[in-house]
DNA sequence: ATAGTAAGTTACAAATAGTAACTATGAAAG
DNA sequence: CTTTCATAGTTACTATTTGTAACTTACTAT
């Protein structure tokens, strides 16, 4: 890697968004809290990567994980305020896709 | 891969943005047309990947490549209208990073 | 005892990214 | 002339990330 003139915060943001599945997972969670299997069914992502991405997003504080001690166990993921803060950006991407993609 | 309920256009958009370096390359080009080496110096991306990404973006119609037959050759990349269409989304991400990232 | 369900984890193969050296073309310097 | 410099890449090779599918744990219901 080399020196760069770019803002480290923007860089970090792009690193988050610019990681496979992250955008779609956030988009999905904007609908409201959802369980692991719901997200897995809604997106063409495997359990392995979904698990990995959710851990990253939780670590970065965009997502919270809530475990319900039911049987079988129920785990719900939802967006924090920080996560919801990306709503506009995601809505813009969605809008762009409607205008520019066939 | 499995079935998904998600809009294929949003999915495609996220696949573009959600690829390493793409967001930052577009951000950089929003400043105006730039040469290969300028982009390479501005971002911590290697020539190999920059070349690959620019080809993808050109193929998707977000970027145009213009060669000036000078010596040494000069190649300038700029955004198309389609590419500029992502300006709001990128600005939102930038704004988010200012608010939420330390 | 067997099967079912949710939320993962593991092991392994395939694809993508990182790094550094190399190429083509021509201009200018020695 | 032949060595050097510059731009815009490409190549070869390694390291990291993804994709796929099978397995695990805990408890319930049959």
């Amino acid at each position: 890697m080399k020196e760069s003139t770019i803002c480290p915060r923007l860089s970090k943001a792009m690193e988050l968004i610019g990681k496979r599945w992250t955008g779609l997972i956030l988009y999905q969670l904007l609908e409201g809290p959802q369980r692991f299997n719901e997200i897995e069914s809604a997106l063409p992502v495997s359990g392995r990567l979904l698990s990995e991405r959710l851990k990253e997003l939780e670590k970065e504080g965009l997502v919270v994980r809530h475990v319900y001690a039911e049987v079988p166990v129920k785990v719900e993921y939802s967006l924090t305020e920080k996560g919801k803060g990306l709503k506009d950006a995601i809505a813009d991407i969605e809008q762009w896709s409607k205008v520019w993609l066939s």
Side-chain angles (χ1 to χ4, degrees), chain A residues 45-81:
Chain A
V45 65
S46 69
R48 189 177 92 59
L49 280 197
L50 179 56
S51 171
E52 196 167 288
R53 287 296 176 273
L54 287 169
K55 273 184 199 162
E56 290 164 8
L57 291 172
E58 198 190 356
K59 181 163 150 258
E60 296 295 335
L62 309 214
V63 159
V64 278
R65 179 171 182 270
H66 192 287
V67 181
Y68 297 86
E70 303 177 358
V71 157
V73 66
K74 168 177 163 181
V75 180
E76 216 168 55
Y77 292 90
S78 49
L79 296 180
T80 60
E81 287 307 305

Side-chain angles (χ1 to χ4, degrees), chain A residues 6-87:
Chain A
I6 217 142
C7 168
R9 290 193 287 190
L10 175 62
S11 192
K12 175 76 184 279
M14 288 295 188
E15 224 171 275
L16 275 170
I17 307 275
K19 206 158 192 177
R20 198 157 197 195
W21 306 118
T22 302
L24 288 175
I25 291 169
L26 293 173
Y27 176 83
Q28 194 62 29
L29 287 176
L30 280 169
E31 304 270 297
Q34 280 174 68
R35 306 176 62 171
F36 189 91
N37 276 345
E38 287 182 278
I39 308 173
E40 195 180 8
S41 305
L43 305 176
V45 65
S46 69
R48 189 177 92 59
L49 280 197
L50 179 56
S51 171
E52 196 167 288
R53 287 296 176 273
L54 287 169
K55 273 184 199 162
E56 290 164 8
L57 291 172
E58 198 190 356
K59 181 163 150 258
E60 296 295 335
L62 309 214
V63 159
V64 278
R65 179 171 182 270
H66 192 287
V67 181
Y68 297 86
E70 303 177 358
V71 157
V73 66
K74 168 177 163 181
V75 180
E76 216 168 55
Y77 292 90
S78 49
L79 296 180
T80 60
E81 287 307 305
K82 185 174 177 180
K84 287 176 191 161
L86 281 168
K87 184 176 169 179

